[in-house]
Amino acid sequence: MATVEIRNVRKAFGPVQVLHGVNVDIADGEFVVLVGPSGCGKSTLLRMLAGLENITSGEIAIGPRVVNNVPPKDRDIAMVFQNYALYPHMTVFDNMAFSMKLAKAPKEVMEQEVGRAAKILGLEALLQRYPRQLSGGQRQRVAMGRAIVRNPQVFLFDEPLSNLDAKLRVQMRAEIKELHQRLRVTTVYVTHDQIEAMTMADKIVVMNGGHVEQVGPPLELYDRPANLFVAGFIGSPAMNLVKGGPGEGGFQAEGGAVLPLPQSARGEASIYGIRPEHIQLREDGIPATVVLVEPTGSETQVVARIGETPLTCAFRERVTARPGETIRIMPEMGLVHLFESGSGRRLAA
Amino acid sequence: MSATTAPAWTKPQQQANWLVRLFDWKPFLAFACLLPAAGLLLVFLTYPLGLGIWLAFTDTTIGRSGYWVGIENFQYLLEDPLWWNAVFYSVFYTGIATIGKFALGLWLALLLNNHLPFKSLLRAIILLPWIVPTVLSAIAFWWIYDPQFSIISFLLVDKLGILDNYIDFLGSAWPARFSLIAANIWRGIPFVAISLLAGLQTISPSLYEAALLDGSTGWQRFRYITFPMLMPILAIVMTFSIIFTFTDFQLVYAITRGGPVNSTHLLATLAFQRGIPGGQLGEGAAIAVSMIPFLVFATLFSYFGLARRKWQQGEGND
Ligand SMILES: Nc1ncnc2c1ncn2[C@@H]1O[C@H](COP(=O)(O)OP(=O)(O)O)[C@@H](O)[C@H]1O
Ligand SMILES: [Mg+2]
């Protein structure tokens, strides 16, 4: 196990700058998730950690050692690829034992180590199969087994669940999390799925366009998003972001709505953020016209318009209103987020 | 659910006429679809092959239709040192040329699979020896191997001074044999290199990355990933290459005509020599037919070598 430090790392493919100075500190044994939209440079950063891409400038240290010029095989990391990259012509056993075979380990050691990993992942019965004969979830597990067998300092995962169906994804998510709790190996996990990030991470790094937008524990990102991008990216359904400015009796939205503003709110606030789950149905609320009702069972998502301003709401109670009808809603005052429109920065509230 | 039932409605049965039903009948359909292909094969493949085999069992000469003589032609061949010579040289030629083609072709393919400047231009150049008509390249080799005007001799003797005398490439048996093999290798490399390159490009780069992280050296990546994953295509290409090389005719006939003193006859050139200029159609056909066992062997090799490896088979989870 080891710490990982990424210091002011930049990456350019020819003339194209992909990463613009990334700084991340990862503590020993931490589970860090890099999350961001497709194309923001997550995989590139992970591959630089693995040594599969060279580092244009900046430094990456694993443990006390700067690894910029250390070849991948000497970095003591193991990676699970998005497409799993299992060797198709080798059995599950051989796939998992490959690194030991290369190192000319004795057969007993290989059997013991593979057996241990197979037991952790429940792969004992599949060791003689070929990858083609496995389901997606099983392949995923073999790919993890191949990483576990290595006993690495750091695990790297590149969108390992994106090829699985929704149900399996939830299950594997739990399994990976549990695995981490058991092995306590420093892990860097890349995903574009913010729910995966929220549920698995000790610490989330939100990336966008080659920049780090915010680093912090999941609930901190949820409670205090540092800027508009993080506010919109974390949380599902996404936060309502309403343009406007402070005015008579609250926040004057461009669409005409007047929303309640906390006392402490400062004058320059020009974007008003409220999460759907922080809007309540209240007798004394603001009248809003229902546009869309989507019951999911545990909650009901409603899109309603105050004036011309649409707001997505998620109510725990069942809502019987139909489109066109009026409901009365009220944002929870203490949970309102305010942002500057130009920089998108959060206003301390 | 509601208790009311929908009124019963079934799709009216279409009363098809006999032609439609005939075409829906699988055996007939298979027969009808196979007919054109089978016809073509029969006319252009089976007939000449059948005729050749028939001739091999007769004493036909040019201008005289022969009589059935059974296996007499073959018995005669077994005692014919020229035939044995040709068998030996055909096997030798095929063996050495195949090894050469695959060693160099694989090397070239691996080279071209890297990121090189002018990659597509290089690939086009590689194909050149294959595009040039055989007879044309044979003439070029004839020139290269000429005892007096050979460019190789010129370079080695006059320019570099490594040798004292001009090489007589085609004047005696062994140099002639190896010269032909060299020409065949030169001609065969593009086919091998390009086919193997296509095979190499189907190997996912992430496998190499995974192997890199697993701690492999370059040689280990070749040995444990490239080579086994290339095996299926290698087997196909090799089978074809062996068949083409074993049945080669043009190159040898154009450069040496089997000489000097019949030392470079392949079975194909010997068959032609006996049958057409020699006039002994029956005997020539017998020599040609004697190639069949070798070709069958090569095909069987491919059949078992190619038999889909277990790891390629999908489906069947058990
Ligand atoms: N080998 C490469 N050459 C050029 N551009 C690349 C290369 N790899 C990635 N990129 C570019 O870098 C950006 C980030 O890619 P990537 O790290 O794969 O994003 P993601 O966050 O989706 O994993 C993308 O715009 C992509 O087009
Ligand atoms: Mg990616």
Side-chain angles (χ1 to χ4, degrees):
Chain A
M1 275 168 279
T3 58
V4 174
E5 282 175 60
I6 299 169
R7 299 187 204 114
N8 201 22
V9 162
R10 289 166 193 278
K11 176 71 186 178
F13 290 107
V16 185
Q17 276 273 344
V18 173
L19 293 176
H20 312 268
V22 170
N23 286 289
V24 182
D25 277 346
I26 299 170
D28 194 9
E30 204 169 21
F31 195 113
V32 170
V33 174
L34 303 180
V35 68
S38 282
C40 70
K42 310 175 297 283
S43 297
T44 305
L45 185 58
L46 197 73
R47 291 167 57 82
M48 285 161 87
L49 254 174
L52 298 174
E53 301 280 358
N54 57 14
I55 299 166
T56 308
S57 77
E59 259 182 8
I60 292 181
I62 297 177
R65 181 170 63 147
V66 172
V67 293
N68 284 32
N69 296 314
V70 177
K73 68 186 172 98
D74 298 329
R75 291 191 182 195
D76 208 359
I77 43 113
M79 182 158 166
V80 175
F81 291 80
Q82 180 169 0
N83 61 2
Y84 316 140
L86 298 178
Y87 310 117
H89 56 294
M90 298 184 199
T91 59
V92 168
F93 180 93
D94 290 335
N95 261 284
M96 287 168 67
F98 190 58
S99 57
M100 287 183 279
K101 181 175 177 180
L102 293 176
K104 306 205 161 56
K107 191 134 181 60
E108 306 84 69
V109 176
M110 293 206 294
E111 271 163 13
Q112 186 188 331
E113 289 292 306
V114 171
R116 180 180 65 93
K119 195 155 170 234
I120 293 176
L121 294 162
L123 289 170
E124 293 109 317
L126 304 177
L127 288 177
Q128 294 316 314
R129 298 245 187 118
Y130 287 94
R132 275 267 174 112
Q133 301 167 306
L134 301 176
S135 69
Q138 290 168 334
R139 284 182 212 177
Q140 164 62 50
R141 256 185 232 136
V142 175
M144 289 195 326
R146 192 167 64 178
I148 291 174
V149 162
R150 300 263 312 280
N151 277 324
Q153 298 275 343
V154 182
F155 277 128
L156 307 177
F157 290 86
D158 191 356
E159 310 215 10
L161 306 185
S162 57
N163 292 339
L164 304 180
D165 62 61
K167 193 165 173 192
L168 201 52
R169 209 177 304 164
V170 173
Q171 183 192 333
M172 290 307 297
R173 205 157 81 189
E175 263 179 49
I176 294 178
K177 183 82 190 148
E178 196 186 302
L179 191 68
H180 176 252
Q181 260 142 22
R182 169 133 52 144
L183 304 176
R184 285 273 148 220
V185 176
T186 312
T187 302
V188 183
Y189 184 105
V190 164
T191 178
H192 63 265
D193 178 354
Q194 58 93 19
I195 296 189
E196 241 169 62
M198 292 294 284
T199 50
M200 301 176 82
D202 293 327
K203 185 156 88 185
I204 296 181
V205 178
V206 182
M207 292 179 64
N208 182 30
H211 295 277
V212 171
E213 298 282 354
Q214 190 174 1
V215 181
L219 291 180
E220 188 182 307
L221 300 199
Y222 179 84
D223 291 337
R224 295 179 58 80
N227 53 42
L228 272 177
F229 179 80
V230 178
F233 193 79
I234 299 288
S236 167
M239 185 189 286
N240 295 293
L241 295 167
V242 182
K243 278 197 189 135
E248 271 311 278
F251 182 88
Q252 182 73 47
E254 277 175 7
V258 178
L259 300 165
L261 206 58
Q263 289 302 312
S264 59
R266 297 219 235 107
E268 67 267 41
S270 53
I271 298 204
Y272 184 100
I274 184 73
R275 293 194 184 277
E277 55 272 36
H278 296 151
I279 299 179
Q280 293 172 321
L281 282 170
R282 285 240 303 258
E283 290 296 319
D284 59 344
I286 309 161
T289 313
V290 175
V291 179
L292 185 72
V293 181
E294 290 179 324
T296 64
S298 62
E299 58 176 31
T300 311
Q301 289 177 18
V302 175
V303 180
R305 265 207 305 261
I306 302 178
E308 285 305 302
T309 311
L311 288 177
T312 306
C313 318
F315 302 120
R316 312 272 340 158
E317 50 274 66
R318 304 225 161 155
V319 178
T320 49
R322 305 250 178 135
E325 294 176 6
T326 301
I327 53 174
R328 291 180 167 272
I329 57 175
M330 179 57 75
E332 283 180 56
M333 189 83 84
L335 298 172
V336 168
H337 308 266
L338 296 170
F339 303 94
E340 248 175 29
S341 70
S343 65
R345 255 183 339 107
R346 175 190 189 82
L347 293 170
Chain B
M1 279 289 156
S2 74
T4 54
T5 51
W9 184 83
T10 45
K11 194 174 173 229
Q13 202 75 47
Q14 293 248 309
Q15 207 47 309
N17 68 28
W18 66 271
L19 197 64
V20 172
R21 266 178 290 141
L22 184 61
F23 273 95
D24 273 345
W25 188 47
K26 212 164 179 185
F28 174 78
L29 204 64
F31 174 77
C33 292
L34 275 175
L35 200 60
L40 279 176
L41 280 180
L42 209 65
V43 173
F44 293 109
L45 211 74
T46 316
Y47 172 72
L49 191 66
L51 183 64
I53 292 176
W54 159 254
L55 282 176
F57 292 93
T58 66
D59 61 356
T60 310
T61 57
I62 287 182
R64 179 178 71 83
S65 60
Y67 299 98
W68 177 266
V69 294
I71 59 166
E72 201 175 279
N73 283 331
F74 294 98
Q75 283 171 329
Y76 174 74
L77 282 185
L78 285 179
E79 288 158 18
D80 179 0
L82 274 186
W83 181 78
W84 281 109
N85 238 327
V87 168
F88 162 75
Y89 187 55
S90 293
V91 172
F92 184 77
Y93 181 83
T94 308
I96 304 291
T98 304
I99 292 172
K101 272 185 263 199
F102 276 79
L104 293 172
L106 183 58
W107 176 71
L108 256 181
L110 289 170
L111 214 63
L112 286 177
N113 199 31
N114 289 325
H115 292 288
L116 292 175
F118 310 114
K119 191 152 71 173
S120 38
L121 184 70
L122 277 176
R123 286 184 191 171
I125 291 175
I126 297 289
L127 274 176
L128 270 182
W130 207 40
I131 296 167
V132 178
T134 312
V135 174
L136 201 62
S137 50
I139 291 171
F141 271 103
W142 201 31
W143 195 240
I144 289 172
Y145 292 151
D146 188 275
Q148 281 167 44
F149 303 109
S150 163
I151 176 110
I152 299 177
S153 298
F154 174 73
L155 282 178
L156 289 181
V157 178
D158 294 343
K159 287 289 163 199
L160 300 174
I162 296 172
L163 294 181
D164 292 331
N165 297 311
Y166 274 27
I167 308 167
D168 189 6
F169 289 97
L170 303 177
S172 49
W174 280 106
R177 285 176 183 146
F178 279 108
S179 300
L180 287 177
I181 288 173
N184 182 281
I185 289 176
W186 179 82
R187 247 194 95 65
I189 282 177
F191 174 66
V192 174
I194 295 295
S195 310
L196 294 186
L197 181 60
L200 284 177
Q201 287 177 339
T202 63
I203 303 176
S204 158
S206 63
L207 292 186
Y208 292 110
E209 289 179 346
L212 203 63
L213 296 184
D214 273 342
S216 58
T217 59
W219 163 250
Q220 284 171 324
R221 281 194 293 283
F222 175 77
R223 162 82 182 70
Y224 294 114
I225 295 180
T226 311
F227 191 70
M229 302 237 8
L230 211 52
M231 228 10 229
I233 201 163
L234 199 75
I236 295 186
V237 176
M238 188 171 283
T239 311
F240 273 101
S241 171
I242 288 176
I243 291 175
F244 290 149
T245 314
F246 194 81
T247 57
D248 195 9
F249 172 84
Q250 297 185 58
L251 210 54
V252 171
Y253 200 76
I255 298 179
T256 66
R257 290 188 191 259
V261 215
N262 294 322
S263 60
T264 60
H265 263 308
L266 295 172
L267 285 169
T269 55
L270 188 66
F272 178 76
Q273 180 89 359
R274 281 283 161 83
I276 308 300
Q280 305 294 325
L281 276 181
E283 243 178 73
I287 295 172
V289 167
S290 72
M291 290 162 75
I292 291 176
F294 295 99
L295 295 177
V296 168
F297 178 77
T299 315
L300 283 182
F301 168 81
S302 86
Y303 182 78
F304 290 110
L306 288 179
R308 270 158 69 81
R309 260 145 265 267
K310 207 171 165 210
W311 61 267
Q312 288 184 298
Q313 290 160 359
E315 302 97 41
N317 267 8
D318 287 288

